[in-house]
Amino acid sequence: MDPYKYRPSSAFNSPYFTANSGAPVFNNNNSLTVGSRGPILLEDYHLIEKLAQFDRERIPERVVHARGASAKGFFEVTHDISHLTCADFLRAPGVQTPVIVRFSTVIHERGSPETLRDPRGFAVKFYTREGNFDLVGNNFPVFFIRDGIKFPDMVHALKPNPKSHIQENWRIVDFFSHHPESLHMFTFLFDDVGVPLDYRHMDGSGVNTYTLINKAGKAHYVKFHWRPTCGVKCLLEDEAVNVGGNNHSHATKDLYDSIAAGSYPEWKLFIQTIDPDHEDKFDFDPLDVTKTWPEDILPLQPVGRLVLNKNVDNFFAENEQLAFCPAIIVPGIYYSDDKLLQTRVFSYADTQRHRLGPNYLMLPANAPKCAHHNNHHDGFMNFMHRDEEVNYFPSRYDPVRHAEKYPIPPVVLTGRREKVCIPKENNFKQPGERYRSFDPDRQERFIRRWVDALSDPRVTHEIRSIWISYWSQADKSLGQKLAMRLNVKPNM
């Protein structure tokens, strides 16, 4: 028998109950006792195993993105971008790659309602012939902060109060009052799109700036964008209360039911690119995740389509154990100096090693579907069957060799070691432009949400004044309307 071939799988279920060891269990209803009433004997191994397994069947939930739902499908290239990248899965129109996608809310717990105002995660794992590519993103194209060193503090501020375990606006507006770079993100979060109708009716974005590299070694900065073919739809406050009151898992159910009914969710993938030689031509830093790239200057280029046509077989195995990391890339795609991306490259893999163990990439949902070879050995929950004698490199007894060299960005790095903010902050221009793009009713809803947030009794006059000043710098009329309703004079 080849142990590697016969991995544990419910497809090979025994017709009778067994212990984990495979031993038959002749009575799964009654504990082993002294007499008919007890006491229970410790030697009832099946009882002990059953209880111990049950006690451990929950793993730590994600700190962020705990509440999520997954589905499987394929990505198909529809437009040739081989002049921009040598990535194999993007090599030509018609090429299809299997994928698994996880949607999520960000801040709230695993059992929280899916109707809460919160960013949504939109993470895609491509199982390519050259290994996996994890495109980890959100439904908004920007983020609250531009430097990952602030991420733990940001999450703490957005999470419930550690004393009361209640999410409170005063903590949120206090923290972000120190970070005006967050204004652009709030024009999305406090906009109607802050509560999507469901996962099928929302945009997706890679958020971070990556680098595409072609065979000749030419690099371009790139941003990835998903657009749903069924359009973007949202829930307003009263609708969210009604939907969430009827079913706190409405988005998970909608995704599952739609696929089961053959109404497959689909998104178009677009990219924007910038030649790194031209990055200084803008009044913002293109690697700043609090900024969007203007589509009138840098138009969306179509690449392909994503179709989800299969529900997961097991929610735990393919949603809770599904793990993403922006560091997982393929030849032809590389990182950029985007400060947030640089920290995520470390942090995502680190959190999965904590949550799932050092061998989390062996789990079927996370493992590559192509052949792979390395000398990473042992550790908790290592279930790879290995019979080779050589577990070091190089060796004259093992023919394994280096892969063929592929291009990575050739830029020469220079600069002083320093902890500083980027030179081009420009925190107010894009938030103002986005607010002015709203129709009057949408502007009114946005204002009302901010008035509600800043009316928290624990929000001080100083913090209200700071926010009104920020929004006044983004749009003078917006600042005036907030000041009037909150009875606060703008402090420009």
Side-chain angles (χ1 to χ4, degrees):
M1 177 186 292
D2 180 357
Y4 187 75
K5 181 178 180 181
Y6 295 96
R7 285 188 178 182
S9 170
S10 59
F12 302 104
N13 272 346
S14 164
Y16 50 79
F17 260 93
T18 72
N20 282 345
S21 64
V25 173
F26 71 89
N27 189 329
N28 193 36
N29 294 320
N30 304 106
S31 304
L32 184 65
T33 58
V34 178
S36 62
R37 298 179 62 212
I40 292 173
L41 293 175
L42 188 61
E43 68 186 59
D44 188 347
Y45 176 76
H46 175 62
L47 168 68
I48 302 302
E49 179 184 80
K50 187 175 182 180
L51 293 177
Q53 190 81 26
F54 174 76
D55 292 343
R56 293 163 176 80
E57 72 181 25
R58 292 291 182 269
I59 60 176
E61 71 172 44
R62 294 165 169 88
V63 177
V64 288
H65 298 276
R67 171 63 135 142
S70 304
K72 296 181 282 190
F74 65 88
F75 173 77
E76 180 180 15
V77 179
T78 57
H79 292 73
D80 185 9
I81 60 166
S82 58
H83 61 291
L84 293 171
T85 177
C86 58
D88 177 73
F89 79 102
L90 298 172
R91 64 188 178 275
V95 173
Q96 289 191 357
T97 301
V99 300
I100 187 167
V101 179
R102 187 175 189 270
F103 306 101
S104 55
T105 59
V106 175
I107 293 301
H108 302 281
E109 294 92 341
R110 187 159 55 191
S112 58
E114 292 178 308
T115 48
L116 298 177
R117 186 167 298 278
D118 198 12
R120 298 314 193 258
F122 193 125
V124 183
K125 188 183 294 289
F126 299 81
Y127 298 108
T128 88
R129 301 193 308 183
E130 294 182 312
N132 292 351
F133 170 45
D134 286 359
L135 182 54
V136 187
N138 291 331
N139 63 324
F140 303 151
V142 293
F143 201 60
F144 293 103
I145 53 173
R146 61 171 68 97
D147 192 319
I149 197 171
K150 301 175 186 177
F151 192 84
D153 297 292
M154 179 202 76
V155 172
H156 288 170
L158 289 165
K159 286 280 191 181
N161 184 324
K163 182 175 181 178
S164 64
H165 200 66
I166 299 171
Q167 188 184 38
E168 295 169 328
N169 281 329
W170 68 267
R171 291 163 42 80
I172 297 171
V173 297
D174 172 36
F175 174 76
F176 288 110
S177 70
H178 300 275
H179 302 294
E181 68 205 63
S182 66
L183 263 68
H184 201 184
M185 180 67 165
F186 278 114
T187 65
F188 288 88
L189 183 61
F190 277 35
D191 181 25
D192 295 346
V193 295
V195 185
L197 174 63
D198 49 54
Y199 295 133
R200 290 185 298 128
H201 291 89
M202 69 179 194
D203 288 335
S205 172
V207 181
N208 294 113
T209 300
Y210 284 85
T211 305
L212 295 181
I213 311 163
N214 64 19
K215 290 180 180 179
K218 175 60 182 174
H220 284 85
Y221 292 143
V222 63
K223 280 188 178 287
F224 297 96
H225 303 279
W226 300 104
R227 296 288 185 264
T229 57
C230 59
V232 173
K233 297 181 182 179
C234 314
L235 292 172
L236 299 183
E237 280 77 357
D238 291 346
E239 296 170 321
V241 170
N242 183 52
V243 170
N246 287 318
N247 182 1
H248 81 303
S249 300
H250 82 285
T252 297
K253 185 177 188 301
D254 173 83
L255 180 66
Y256 191 93
D257 289 350
S258 297
I259 294 173
S263 180
Y264 302 139
E266 182 174 336
W267 287 261
K268 303 295 185 185
L269 177 64
F270 297 87
I271 59 172
Q272 291 174 289
T273 60
I274 292 178
D275 188 322
D277 293 338
H278 303 158
E279 64 176 305
D280 292 331
K281 293 184 176 181
F282 305 95
D283 61 1
F284 62 93
D285 187 333
L287 305 187
D288 178 358
V289 294
T290 69
K291 304 294 185 291
T292 54
W293 294 359
E295 294 180 18
D296 56 339
I297 302 173
L298 303 163
L300 296 176
Q301 305 173 49
V303 177
R305 67 188 187 113
L306 169 70
V307 178
L308 300 180
N309 59 5
K310 187 178 189 304
N311 280 310
V312 296
D313 298 308
N314 180 272
F315 189 84
F316 178 77
E318 295 178 295
N319 184 76
E320 291 305 301
Q321 290 194 139
L322 182 59
F324 294 87
C325 176
I328 296 179
I329 55 175
V330 291
I333 301 175
Y334 205 72
Y335 321 117
S336 75
D337 292 339
D338 172 341
K339 280 189 173 185
L340 189 69
L341 175 60
Q342 291 284 318
T343 51
R344 293 175 84 204
V345 162
F346 162 75
S347 184
Y348 274 62
D350 188 54
T351 196
Q352 303 300 358
R353 293 184 188 105
H354 163 70
R355 198 174 66 88
L356 299 171
N359 292 300
Y360 76 96
L361 288 175
M362 285 187 186
L363 294 168
N366 303 322
K369 307 309 177 192
C370 61
H372 55 288
H373 184 125
N374 58 54
N375 292 324
H376 302 333
H377 256 246
D378 305 338
F380 290 111
M381 301 303 291
N382 188 316
F383 58 88
M384 177 68 71
H385 173 68
R386 309 191 75 151
D387 59 5
E388 68 269 34
E389 296 180 285
V390 176
N391 61 347
Y392 50 86
F393 178 86
S395 169
R396 291 182 173 84
Y397 295 93
D398 186 346
V400 69
R401 54 183 170 77
H402 286 120
E404 292 184 17
K405 186 177 180 179
Y406 54 85
I408 61 174
V411 63
V412 177
L413 303 177
T414 60
R416 297 182 302 177
R417 290 187 177 95
E418 51 189 345
K419 287 193 170 219
V420 295
C421 189
I422 62 171
K424 293 181 182 178
E425 287 196 73
N426 204 348
N427 293 322
F428 305 106
K429 180 182 177 182
Q430 289 193 1
E433 290 173 343
R434 179 168 166 78
Y435 170 77
R436 288 187 291 275
S437 74
F438 298 163
D439 63 50
D441 288 343
R442 194 169 174 180
Q443 289 182 350
E444 173 59 28
R445 291 191 293 270
F446 180 79
I447 292 169
R448 187 171 65 243
R449 290 168 191 138
W450 267 104
V451 170
D452 289 345
L454 294 173
S455 295
D456 186 303
R458 294 188 65 177
V459 175
T460 65
H461 178 80
E462 177 189 17
I463 293 173
R464 287 193 189 98
S465 298
I466 289 170
W467 277 106
I468 290 171
S469 295
Y470 285 165
W471 287 119
S472 296
Q473 293 175 72
D475 183 89
K476 188 175 180 180
S477 68
L478 171 57
Q480 290 172 339
K481 291 174 182 176
L482 286 171
M484 180 180 66
R485 298 194 192 189
L486 291 165
N487 197 25
V488 175
K489 184 178 180 180
N491 181 25
M492 293 296 290

